[in-house]
Amino acid sequence: MTAPTFLDSAIRLEQQTIALRRDLHQHPELGFQEHRTARIVVDNLTMLGLEVTSGIAETGVAAVIEGGKPGPVVLLRFDMDALPIVEQTGAAYASQNPGVMHACGHDGHVAVGLAVARLLAERRAELPGVYKLIFQPAEEGQGGAARMIEAGILENPKPDYALALHIWNDRPFGWAGISDGPMMAAAEIFEIELTGKGGHGALPHTAVDPIVCAAQIINALQTIVSRSANPLETAVVSVTEIKAGDTYNVIPGRLFMQGTIRSIDAGIRDLILRRFEEIVRHTAAAGGCRVELKFISISPAVVNHPQVAETVRAAARSVLPDLTIEREFRTMGAEDMALVNALVPGCYFMVGSANDEKGLNFGHHHPRFDFDERVLVNGAALMCAAAVELAASDPLRKAG
Ligand SMILES: [Zn+2]
Ligand SMILES: [Zn+2]
């Protein structure tokens, strides 16, 4: 009899992984408030006989699994937070926490992470290397990864490789995106405050109208992507919120708007920010408005190390031979794992989870988001196989 593969073992745990995911789905918690989730993580890891550190950056949890053979340290990261969304899936396991929903699949990530912990811990005697599992709070734009790095998760032991996955509902179950190089965007928030001079709606000549000024700024901003950036590069500039005025006959004195900038290439990012500032400042001046402009960086681009990505693909082909692997996959979504991958060579990969026939195909952050739970098995098997393959082959020879 041959030894069970990580797929066989993940299938053995499937019912319990699904039950855990549904329990987490019913009890979603926002970033830095994942107390119940963290307690479940700690309990599960402790039951495996692992030494567990909790309370990292509020609610983060870490555990180390030492293999019986020497090898590099592989960090495996799973995010835990939910979103401020009113769930509309109608699922039996829908959120019981009103206004909070696991609409990105991080409930699945925690369930996968605990299955991975168990599968690696069971076999630790025969495994090469060291596996550092990190359960991260507040991935959804709140800086959880930065806080965990500040708290020292990249030390003691210092990881040689870093892996993370995302359940991905924009692709069907049976697909995986394991790309070389940049695969998720750098993201910034911009905030613009225009100050004109309020006045009567019928006497515009006595006022300085920030609404007309903002309209011109918004139009001019469209030329950054269409005229300034190289058409072969990727960039997004989206104004997503405008606030000004209260009624029909008053020109307001002030206007606030914000939105997001996404880019892959660092040079394009610098170009966008420079053009953005020029357009905003000069158009505001032309409109007679004072302007305050602020950029807030959320995260750099997620960049996969090609050799690490190739190792993950090799592991995927061996543990899940039927998987369709896309190696050119990219999305303009952002992800704070980028901060870890900027310091530790790694691979961030997507595991397809949509099922059109079952209606499980709403996008991430949609109130009806839900996924094909078979992805939990694929995710756990792939993560285990990738981590062990990395430790065994040590493609960058960091440990030696
Ligand atoms: Zn999300
Ligand atoms: Zn997410």
Side-chain angles (χ1 to χ4, degrees), residues 83 103-104 106 139-140 166 364-365:
L83 288 154
C104 201
H106 301 183
E139 187 281 326
E140 297 285 2
H166 211 298
H364 295 263
H365 298 199

Side-chain angles (χ1 to χ4, degrees), residues 80-337:
M80 305 191 287
D81 54 323
L83 288 154
I85 292 174
V86 178
E87 178 159 354
Q88 293 172 16
T89 60
Y93 48 86
S95 170
Q96 294 178 1
N97 186 0
V100 182
M101 176 187 176
H102 267 299
C104 201
H106 301 183
D107 49 344
H109 298 171
V110 175
V112 165
L114 291 175
V116 167
R118 173 141 176 208
L119 298 181
L120 294 177
E122 280 174 359
R123 295 190 192 189
R124 77 184 103 179
E126 66 195 69
L127 297 181
V130 175
Y131 305 88
K132 186 171 188 175
L133 279 74
I134 302 289
F135 293 82
Q136 182 200 304
E139 187 281 326
E140 297 285 2
Q142 291 169 286
R147 291 275 306 276
M148 286 198 88
I149 293 170
E150 275 166 35
I153 56 150
L154 300 186
E155 306 299 329
N156 300 322
K158 196 174 165 63
D160 299 296
Y161 301 100
L163 296 175
L165 59 71
H166 211 298
I167 287 170
W168 202 241
N169 243 30
D170 293 342
R171 291 287 192 284
F173 172 78
W175 170 96
I178 312 171
S179 305
D180 294 336
M183 58 91 59
M184 287 182 95
E188 1 267 327
I189 301 168
F190 61 80
E191 294 178 353
I192 299 171
E193 184 157 352
L194 290 173
T195 307
K197 187 175 158 223
H200 197 295
L203 305 170
H205 59 293
T206 65
V208 176
D209 186 350
I211 290 185
V212 171
C213 186
Q216 285 168 347
I217 289 174
I218 294 165
N219 274 334
L221 290 176
Q222 309 310 311
T223 65
I224 299 177
V225 174
S226 69
R227 304 290 89 178
S228 298
N230 181 334
L232 295 174
E233 297 285 352
T234 312
V236 178
V237 176
S238 292
V239 178
T240 56
E241 180 180 351
I242 303 182
K243 285 199 179 111
D246 297 301
T247 186
Y248 78 96
N249 59 358
V250 177
I251 292 170
R254 217 177 261 274
L255 178 144
F256 171 81
M257 59 183 169
Q258 66 171 344
T260 189
I261 294 170
R262 303 289 166 110
S263 57
I264 298 269
D265 177 79
I268 289 291
R269 174 181 173 275
D270 293 346
L271 171 83
I272 297 172
L273 297 187
R274 180 172 59 76
R275 288 293 297 139
F276 196 101
E277 177 150 14
E278 287 168 359
I279 287 169
V280 169
R281 294 212 182 284
H282 294 142
T283 312
C289 288
R290 271 195 297 119
V291 64
E292 272 179 55
L293 169 63
K294 199 156 96 182
F295 294 121
I296 303 158
S297 171
I298 304 177
S299 62
V302 176
V303 182
N304 285 347
H305 192 290
Q307 276 163 277
V308 179
E310 181 50 42
T311 307
V312 175
R313 283 191 294 268
R317 283 189 290 266
S318 120
V319 75
L320 296 165
D322 298 333
L323 201 65
T324 302
I325 300 174
E326 185 178 339
R327 59 183 293 175
E328 310 276 299
F329 175 78
R330 276 185 181 182
T331 163
M332 296 308 277
E335 165 58 69
D336 67 5
M337 184 65 186

